[in-house]
Amino acid sequence: MELSFSTNAFKKNTLHEAISAIADIGYTGVELMEDLHHAYPPTFDAAKRAAAKQLLRDKHLTVSNINAFTLFVCGDTYHPTWIEDDPAKVELRIKHTLASIEMAAEFGVRTVSLQPGGPMIGTALTRQQAGERFATGLSRVLPKARELGVILGIEPEPGLFIETAAEYLEFKADFFAHDDSIKMNCDIGHLFCVGDDPAEVIRLYPEQVCHVHLEDIGANRVHQHLTPGKGAIDFGKVFGALHDVGYDGRVTVELYPYETTAAGVARLAWEHLQALGG
């Protein structure tokens, strides 16, 4: 199994520095953060893209996933979301996702990971209303994803509209039951936080997993990303499940809170996961 690392841990570094550090550690892939820090589509112009592609070739790296979850350039970790009351803010999210899909196709990437709707706290929406809004937004970007052969990976996350594997499956069944362009970005730590068994989810629904994010989580299941080996997740069990179901996608370590020590935690994660067969 080939391991990748997300550039979203390197927010204090340039994209060139992030790619170089990730490659030098031994990872074979890199996830691109589609935000102001690295590969925000409107400012990641043709020259910058060409330079990034050349560096990737020089370092023998491939791009594992396009991470379109955050949009700090015009909001925060979650906003603008897919379920805002303000249509103009939803339009920003849709426009960003379309650009990220095009970026994925340009860099030869098969997946774009997305936030699962947005936070429910602070809204007056019912789950049905939130689901309808999210589905309406996704329907706006799906034609482009289908055209370019890109899969949209909805990433369940604690505190957002879709938190669990069951909620993802319910949403998929309600709105996109037969659409293979929408699947799950299976974040191991997030599933652990909400009480799911990540390995069991992989074994039960392998056809839904288009990409995997890895981070450790403490035994208290609080949503705080930890370096693999510092928490309670059994990654050997997770890797065993991925192997048994014949998963052929990419696995990306995502440690975005460690922006001041990104290279160090990337190396620690590499060493720990390699020892487990990652």
Side-chain angles (χ1 to χ4, degrees), residues 132-148:
E132 289 171 355
R133 286 191 185 183
F134 188 22
T136 297
L138 287 176
S139 295
R140 293 272 307 281
V141 303
L142 262 175
K144 178 63 69 175
R146 295 190 192 110
E147 174 192 342
L148 297 178

Side-chain angles (χ1 to χ4, degrees), residues 82 94 97-98 101 112 114 134-154 171-172 175-183:
W82 297 89
I94 289 171
T97 305
L98 286 168
I101 291 168
V112 173
L114 309 175
F134 188 22
T136 297
L138 287 176
S139 295
R140 293 272 307 281
V141 303
L142 262 175
K144 178 63 69 175
R146 295 190 192 110
E147 174 192 342
L148 297 178
V150 173
I151 298 171
L152 303 178
I154 297 172
F171 175 78
K172 177 82 184 277
F175 297 103
F176 301 103
H178 304 293
D179 201 318
D180 288 337
S181 294
I182 291 182
K183 295 191 177 184

Side-chain angles (χ1 to χ4, degrees), residues 90-122:
V90 177
E91 199 65 27
L92 287 173
R93 175 59 64 178
I94 289 171
K95 183 178 179 181
H96 178 62
T97 305
L98 286 168
S100 297
I101 291 168
E102 291 173 346
M103 185 82 71
E106 181 177 345
F107 278 78
V109 188
R110 76 171 191 170
T111 57
V112 173
S113 57
L114 309 175
Q115 63 161 239
M120 291 292 288
I121 296 175

